[in-house]
Structures are given as C-alpha cells and as structure tokens.
Amino acid sequence: MRKNAGEERRAAFPAKPVGLETRDETDSSLLGGKAITFSSNWIQLQKQFGKGHATLKRKRKLEGSLPDHGIMGNNRTLTRSLVPLSTDCSVTRVLALDCEMVGVGYEGKRNSLARVSLVNLSGNVVYDKNVRPVEFVTDCRTKITGVRVCDLKRGEKFVVVQKEVSELLRGRILVGHALHNDLKVLLLSHPRKDMRDTMTYEHLQSKTGRPQSLKYLADRYLGCKIQENAHSSVEDARAAMFLYNRFKDEWEKHYIRRGGLTK
C-alpha cells in the first residue's frame, strides 16, 4: 500500500531521535501554570552537570577554608582560633611581646607606649598593662589601637612598666612581630640570638623575601582572622606565639645551622 505524504514525512523525520530515551516529563510550575514538556535526556544532563557543579563548589569551599600550608606540606593540624592551648599561666622560657602605641608630638607622628602585653607558650597572658605616656598625647589612634583616653589616665607609670617587662624578658627567648618597634618604645634591648621575629624569619616571608603582615600570616598559617577592627596587643602576641609554636622545630634548627646570631 502506498503511504500518503503525511506518513512519508513522519517516517523521514521522527518526532524523537532513534535510540534515545523517549519518555518526557512535564513541568507546570512555569509560565503561569502552563505545562512545559522537557525531554528526559535534557533533564538527565541538567542533573549530571548540577551534581558536578555542586561537587566543585564543595571542593572549593573546603580548599578555601584551609590556609596554604607553605613549608609544612600536608600538615593539617592547624590552630583555628586564638584560644590558649592550656590553663598554664606560668612565665615560660619563651614569651611573646606586643605593644600598642599612641601618637605624640607634632601631628602625632611619633610613637609612645600605651599598652604592653606578654603571653606564654600556651598563649596565656602573663603581663598586660596600660601605660601612662610621659609626653602629651596628640593622637590616641583609637580605631587602630583600641586605646582610649581613660585607659591612658588609669595606666601605670612608664618607668614601672619598663622595669617589670625588662625583668620578665631577662634570659628568655622573645617572640613577636617587628620586635624592633616594640623594644624601641619600651627603650629596651634584647640579645639578638634570643629573638624570634615572625617578620624577619625567612620562611615566613614572601617568595621575593619581603616581610608579611601578622594579619596575613595568621590567616594563612593559623586559619585565624585578627585585626579585623581595632588591634589587641594580647591577640597579636598570641598570634606570634602560635606561629612560633607551629614552626618551632624548623626555626630552632635554622638558628643552630647558622651557629646562633650574635648580639
């Protein structure tokens, strides 16, 4: 029997490709309730690509939550928050120092000590005092330091703080970030061989040998956010100590290889 023209056209151009799934699914949630028919093959592709995209997002989220491990390789043991590691508040062989400074003199460009903090190996505070500046303060730098006028008025005399800190540091390893600035406002010195500065330690510097900020180092190696608002000398000292703890073995070997540093 001869096929009519309509049957010939349907045979030449089938409604759905041969060999593919022919079941359709209908979605009436779009276009004001009007039913829209999707090929099941398109739906399967959507599910496949959607699943892959979700997996990629989870992978990126996980990678983003972990800092670059740098010289520690695949070590995943990280300090997630700057919380003391124990309840030990003793004055340990190693102490970390950080100071907050206010501005004195013309336009407040010169630094004067306003707060000094020391933490032990566990990150616990062993010393923390506000300091009454010797000179007239022209800029409290409150947005950066968190120091207010009332803190300065209640502060301890500079000479008292200087003496107490000097006694605590004597014969101990001193950790900090840009320690030369802290020692300068304290009018103190410390043996170079007993200083561990996170700003000058070569393995914590950039690939070009430039120093990194403490904020960056804490984020990259400790997975912690610091200095989001006003700085805290306790928080900064603790971050420096935890960086030292993490790299301590390699750091001390570095000093032994170099035969220690002279005064």
Side-chain angles (χ1 to χ4, degrees):
M1 180 182 295
R2 180 180 175 80
K3 298 180 180 179
N4 58 37
E7 290 176 340
E8 289 179 350
R9 283 196 299 272
R10 283 193 293 273
F13 302 101
K16 295 180 181 179
V18 178
L20 294 180
E21 181 71 24
T22 58
R23 182 174 55 85
D24 293 338
E25 295 187 17
T26 302
D27 189 346
S28 61
S29 62
L30 302 175
L31 298 179
K34 294 182 179 180
I36 301 175
T37 303
F38 297 98
S39 168
S40 61
N41 295 284
W42 171 244
I43 293 172
Q44 290 173 8
L45 285 172
Q46 279 186 316
K47 290 179 180 178
Q48 181 179 348
F49 284 116
K51 182 179 180 181
H53 182 63
T55 303
L56 181 61
K57 284 180 69 177
R58 285 195 299 271
K59 182 179 178 182
R60 286 177 177 173
K61 184 177 180 181
L62 176 61
E63 292 175 347
S65 66
L66 293 172
D68 188 346
H69 298 288
I71 64 173
M72 296 302 288
N74 294 322
N75 186 356
R76 298 278 174 170
T77 305
L78 301 175
T79 303
R80 287 300 177 188
S81 60
L82 295 180
V83 177
L85 304 178
S86 72
T87 58
D88 177 25
C89 294
S90 63
V91 181
T92 52
R93 176 78 172 82
V94 181
L95 294 177
L97 167 72
D98 191 78
C99 298
E100 298 297 342
M101 308 161 200
V102 292
V104 298
Y106 180 67
E107 294 184 346
K109 291 183 178 180
R110 288 191 294 111
N111 294 326
S112 182
L113 183 65
R115 183 185 179 188
V116 56
S117 303
L118 289 165
V119 302
N120 63 13
L121 271 169
S122 298
N124 285 303
V125 176
V126 297
Y127 189 90
D128 183 31
K129 283 190 177 182
N130 291 315
V131 184
R132 195 183 315 155
V134 178
E135 297 183 60
F136 180 77
V137 177
T138 52
D139 186 0
C140 280
R141 306 170 182 170
T142 305
K143 288 185 179 180
I144 298 174
T145 65
V147 176
R148 303 163 298 174
V149 174
C150 60
D151 298 324
L152 300 177
K153 289 181 177 180
R154 294 195 298 262
E156 183 64 86
K157 291 181 180 180
F158 174 82
V159 291
V160 174
V161 171
Q162 182 190 48
K163 182 180 179 182
E164 291 173 343
V165 172
S166 177
E167 291 174 352
L168 284 168
L169 297 184
R170 187 175 295 116
R172 290 186 167 84
I173 292 176
L174 179 60
V175 175
H177 189 80
L179 281 170
H180 63 281
N181 290 329
D182 299 319
L183 293 173
K184 183 178 180 179
V185 293
L186 280 162
L187 300 180
L188 293 175
S189 62
H190 200 72
R192 193 179 173 196
K193 65 181 180 63
D194 292 334
M195 293 171 63
R196 305 293 185 268
D197 198 323
T198 56
M199 190 185 80
T200 59
Y201 180 47
E202 59 186 35
H203 290 298
L204 292 178
Q205 294 178 340
S206 68
K207 293 179 180 179
T208 58
R210 296 177 64 86
Q212 311 273 23
S213 70
L214 183 62
K215 181 177 182 178
Y216 170 82
L217 294 175
D219 183 30
R220 177 176 180 180
Y221 294 110
L222 303 178
C224 299
K225 301 289 185 182
I226 64 171
Q227 301 176 356
E228 292 291 283
N229 297 303
H231 295 197
S232 163
S233 52
V234 170
E235 182 181 63
D236 290 354
R238 192 172 284 155
M241 181 59 83
F242 286 174
L243 285 167
Y244 171 75
N245 283 338
R246 184 170 180 203
F247 297 107
K248 180 171 59 178
D249 293 342
E250 177 63 28
W251 207 329
E252 295 305 326
K253 288 178 184 177
H254 168 79
Y255 272 75
I256 293 172
R257 285 195 301 267
R258 297 183 61 179
L261 296 176
T262 58
K263 229 175 184 180

